Amino acid sequence: IYVNGMLMMPNNIDTTKSDYALLPPDDSFIPALEEANGANYFDPNTGHLYLIVTGPSTIEIKTQPIVVLKLGMTVPIENFFEENVVANLAGLLGIDPANIRVTNIVREGSTRRKK
C-alpha cells in the first residue's frame, strides 16, 4: 500500500527483524477507524485487505503473485518415504492432504528401471 507514493507498512510488520517479515495473522492487526490514512492489514486466511482511506491522498494498492510455504515439521529422510507420504508432504507444505495427487513415487535408491 502506497500513500502519495510512500510505502505504508502493514500493521502486522515484525519490527524485530531487519528484513521484511510479517507476524502471524490475527484480527488484532485490523486497523481501527482512528488510525492514519493508509493503515492496512491483509489477512491471508480470508483474503481480505483491511485499509483505512481518509482525506484527499492518493492510495495505490500494488499486488504481486507469490507462493507462501509453511515449514514447521521435520522428518528424517529415511522415514519420509516409509508410510503416509501424502500426509508427510502435506504437513511439510502446510496444506490439506486432499490437495495432493499421487502419480508415481519412486524412491531415489530404488532399483526399479524406467521404461
Side-chain angles (χ1 to χ4, degrees), residues 65-107:
I66 60 169
V67 175
V68 178
L69 299 177
K70 176 183 173 186
L71 302 174
M73 182 177 132
T74 59
V75 177
I77 192 69
E78 59 273 5
N79 295 341
F80 188 84
F81 290 101
E82 282 183 358
E83 292 182 19
N84 301 323
V85 175
V86 171
N88 291 342
L89 189 57
L92 181 66
L93 297 174
I95 62 174
D96 186 338
N99 293 329
I100 297 177
R101 292 188 192 126
V102 178
T103 56
N104 185 18
I105 298 175
V106 178
R107 190 178 185 132

Side-chain angles (χ1 to χ4, degrees), residues 13-23:
I13 191 79
D14 188 347
T15 57
T16 65
K17 308 282 186 193
S18 59
D19 294 332
Y20 183 88
L22 299 175
L23 297 167

Side-chain angles (χ1 to χ4, degrees), residues 11-12 23-33 35 40-51:
N11 286 0
N12 62 327
L23 297 167
D26 188 84
D27 285 349
S28 66
F29 296 120
I30 296 173
L33 294 176
E35 290 188 45
N40 66 87
Y41 167 62
F42 176 74
D43 186 340
N45 295 331
T46 63
H48 293 151
L49 172 64
Y50 298 89
L51 176 64

